[in-house]
Amino acid sequence: TKQNAIYKKSMDEQEFYRLQFRALQRHDHINVYTAHDHFELGSEIDFDSKGNAATSINYFMSALLSAIISCIRQRLTASQVNVFDLEAVASLCLKNPLTFLHVHGFEEPPSIESIAVKVYVYTDTDANLVIPLCKQGVENSFIVNTLQKCVLLQIDYIVSL
């Protein structure tokens, strides 16, 4: 019935929040549009150490680090922990990059093998209290929870004054 359909839609909206994005190829770059913003990307990755083009991998890792910091900040703030600064540093290990570069003889699919993140929390609160709160905060991240299902994701916490 119509009443059941309305109830089901209401329940779906409580469990799911949908976002839409759009990307368009324009010459040598890609324009990505969100509901409130747009930005320009180059390729998926740039192996040129001197290259400065924004790549998909750059934005992907930026999103991960931003998610980690914001979730930790929310949890620490809710627990009234005095935080002077938060910093996250990540390293990424790519598997089979030569396949991506179309090197003859390499055919295994490229992927992200692992991501290691170090989170630095500068606070005057004891590390034994802060680290569990950081972990609770990160457990609330869409991005972290999704990545942990498919990538080896290691997050270490360092607390100092």
Side-chain angles (χ1 to χ4, degrees):
T1 68
K2 186 175 183 177
Q3 187 84 19
N4 287 343
I6 292 171
Y7 176 75
K8 176 157 179 27
K9 183 177 181 190
S10 170
M11 293 302 291
D12 283 348
E13 289 172 353
Q14 290 175 14
E15 190 173 348
F16 300 100
Y17 180 74
R18 300 188 195 293
L19 298 167
Q20 294 185 347
F21 302 87
R22 182 174 177 221
L24 296 171
Q25 173 70 46
R26 296 285 186 223
H27 308 290
D28 62 345
H29 62 274
I30 300 162
N31 289 332
V32 179
Y33 298 88
T34 69
H36 304 289
D37 196 11
H38 72 280
F39 50 91
E40 188 176 291
L41 291 170
S43 62
E44 183 173 15
I45 189 167
D46 185 356
F47 290 104
D48 180 0
S49 62
K50 295 180 182 178
N52 62 358
T55 68
S56 300
I57 294 284
N58 294 124
Y59 272 73
F60 172 79
M61 290 303 294
S62 299
L64 172 62
L65 293 177
S66 173
I68 289 170
I69 287 177
S70 67
C71 288
I72 289 172
R73 184 186 64 236
Q74 287 173 352
R75 184 65 184 113
L76 294 176
T77 299
S79 299
Q80 299 180 339
V81 172
N82 187 25
V83 177
F84 304 119
D85 208 0
L86 273 174
E87 180 182 356
V89 179
S91 63
L92 175 74
C93 180
L94 298 175
K95 185 176 182 181
N96 301 315
L98 296 179
T99 304
F100 179 83
L101 295 171
H102 304 288
V103 173
H104 184 70
F106 292 90
E107 297 176 7
E108 291 295 317
S111 64
I112 296 171
E113 180 72 11
S114 63
I115 301 170
V117 179
K118 285 190 180 181
V119 177
Y120 298 90
V121 183
Y122 302 97
T123 180
D124 55 5
T125 305
D126 185 81
N128 292 324
L129 174 67
V130 173
I131 291 174
L133 292 172
C134 290
K135 290 178 179 180
Q136 290 172 12
V138 169
E139 288 172 359
N140 229 15
S141 169
F142 292 102
I143 294 172
V144 170
N145 287 330
T146 302
L147 283 178
Q148 286 178 328
K149 295 176 185 176
C150 59
V151 172
L152 177 59
L153 176 60
Q154 176 68 38
I155 303 174
D156 294 318
Y157 304 92
I158 299 159
V159 178
S160 65
L161 196 55

